[in-house]
Amino acid sequence: MKPQVKADLAMILVTLFWGTSYVFMQMGLKDLETFNLIGIRFGIAFVLAAALFHKRLRGTNRKTLLHAFVLGSLLFGVFATITNGVKSTTASQAGFLVSLTVIFVPLLSILLRNRPEKRVFVGAGLAIIGIGLLTLSAEFRISQGDLLCIAGALFYATHITVTGRWATQSDTIQLGIYQLGFTALLGIIFSFALETPTLPQTTEAWIAVLALSVLCSAIGFVVQTVAQKYTTATHTGVIFSLEPVFAALFAFLVTGETLSVRGYIGAGLVLISVLIAEIDVKSLLRGKQLTKNPTHLS
């Protein structure tokens, strides 16, 4: 099996795990405060990943630690916003809003002087309509939770962009593990400064924390960092677009959560916008034509 196929399959599994995270975050927040949950979640993830790959952590250089600190800080921004966001929005809605990450990634490339293709702007326009249908109330107000989830998507788009640039400059295992540690450290610092830190007190909270720590963090972010070295940005974006689908499905199966008809239309538009932004239809059609007419390859 080719390395890219393995990387894509690994990313699909990770995306499935991340799709479950919104429900687990809501479960954990019944017993823990935001930064407390982040600190425990990423603290356990860091310990597990470091114990598993302890030999790979030998000889870590300052450059890798600096890169990991930046990525960990961005990751902390992602989950500080999203974890607060799911307090006042549904798990399904949060999943679709965070999927805007794959719209923001190519738009951020403008700052790097790489103008995205026209389809990205088409996708972005469609996404705005979808967000409006998904989030705006009858009074044309968007909830704080929805805004925080959109901010989380922007943080995560920055994280993906930076990870893509640094994945070839450092040991990806080291980078993936140390970013978990820095995210945990920031969560613990903010928790002691603004909250009253505590351990989970209920079975439900422990299940949520362990699922978030092991599946969504220890496995999820280490595998993502490694896989991005072997697959393309387009493949990653298309695979990430499955996250809100998994989120909505898991929320329905576990809590019976559903969206309104308008919400489903808006969610559908967001999903379509992501696919438009990430799939180069012209290239796909061109590839098929070349396959049918091999003489063009000469």
Side-chain angles (χ1 to χ4, degrees):
M1 190 180 293
K2 294 181 180 179
Q4 182 170 332
V5 175
K6 291 181 179 178
D8 288 345
L9 290 174
M11 287 304 301
I12 291 173
L13 181 62
V14 168
T15 303
L16 174 61
F17 290 157
W18 286 341
T20 69
S21 68
Y22 303 99
V23 170
F24 286 131
M25 276 190 275
Q26 289 181 330
M27 289 168 59
L29 288 169
K30 293 177 182 178
D31 204 37
L32 300 169
E33 294 182 271
T34 300
F35 299 121
N36 194 177
L37 177 59
I38 292 173
I40 294 175
R41 166 185 179 172
F42 284 94
I44 294 174
F46 171 70
V47 171
L48 290 175
L52 184 61
F53 295 102
H54 64 278
K55 292 183 180 179
R56 290 288 293 272
L57 298 182
R58 296 173 184 172
T60 305
N61 58 46
R62 291 183 180 180
K63 182 180 180 181
T64 297
L65 287 175
L66 177 60
H67 285 178
F69 174 73
V70 173
L71 291 176
S73 299
L74 289 170
L75 209 54
F76 175 75
V78 171
F79 287 97
T81 49
I82 294 174
T83 307
N84 271 313
V86 296
K87 291 180 180 179
S88 54
T89 191
T90 66
S92 302
Q93 200 153 301
F96 280 101
L97 292 175
V98 175
S99 72
L100 290 172
T101 294
V102 292
I103 293 288
F104 292 148
V105 167
L107 291 179
L108 282 175
S109 65
I110 295 174
L111 299 177
L112 302 175
R113 297 180 181 178
N114 296 323
R115 183 178 174 82
E117 297 181 42
K118 291 181 180 179
R119 69 177 189 275
V120 173
F121 294 101
V122 174
L126 195 60
I128 291 173
I129 298 172
I131 290 171
L133 291 172
L134 187 62
T135 64
L136 290 177
S137 64
E139 296 79 23
F140 291 97
R141 292 179 182 176
I142 185 170
S143 74
Q144 183 180 9
D146 292 332
L147 284 174
L148 286 170
C149 287
I150 294 171
L154 185 56
F155 267 115
Y156 194 37
T158 307
H159 178 273
I160 290 173
T161 303
V162 176
T163 299
R165 291 175 70 87
W166 286 346
T168 56
Q169 299 178 28
S170 301
D171 184 300
T172 51
I173 293 291
Q174 292 180 358
L175 200 60
I177 292 173
Y178 282 119
Q179 72 171 342
L180 297 177
F182 284 119
T183 305
L185 180 61
L186 289 170
I188 291 168
I189 291 172
F190 274 81
S191 183
F192 273 99
L194 303 174
E195 303 168 346
T196 304
T198 183
L199 290 173
Q201 302 298 312
T202 64
T203 302
E204 181 180 296
W206 271 114
I207 290 173
V209 166
L210 291 174
L212 289 169
S213 300
V214 179
L215 301 179
C216 305
S217 301
I219 295 176
F221 288 104
V222 173
V223 171
Q224 180 216 346
T225 307
V226 175
Q228 273 197 255
K229 188 176 180 179
Y230 299 101
T231 190
T232 65
T234 301
H235 281 222
T236 302
V238 173
I239 291 168
F240 278 173
S241 70
L242 295 172
E243 183 178 334
V245 178
F246 291 141
L249 178 62
F250 192 70
F252 174 74
L253 293 174
V254 175
T255 66
E257 180 183 289
T258 59
L259 297 172
S260 65
V261 174
R262 190 183 71 168
Y264 279 116
I265 294 173
L269 289 177
V270 169
L271 191 58
I272 292 170
S273 74
V274 168
L275 294 174
I276 288 175
E278 292 301 328
I279 297 178
D280 189 344
V281 177
K282 289 183 179 179
S283 293
L284 288 177
L285 292 176
R286 195 180 303 122
K288 287 182 178 179
Q289 276 193 324
L290 289 174
T291 303
K292 291 178 179 179
N293 302 287
T295 53
H296 289 261
L297 294 174
S298 59

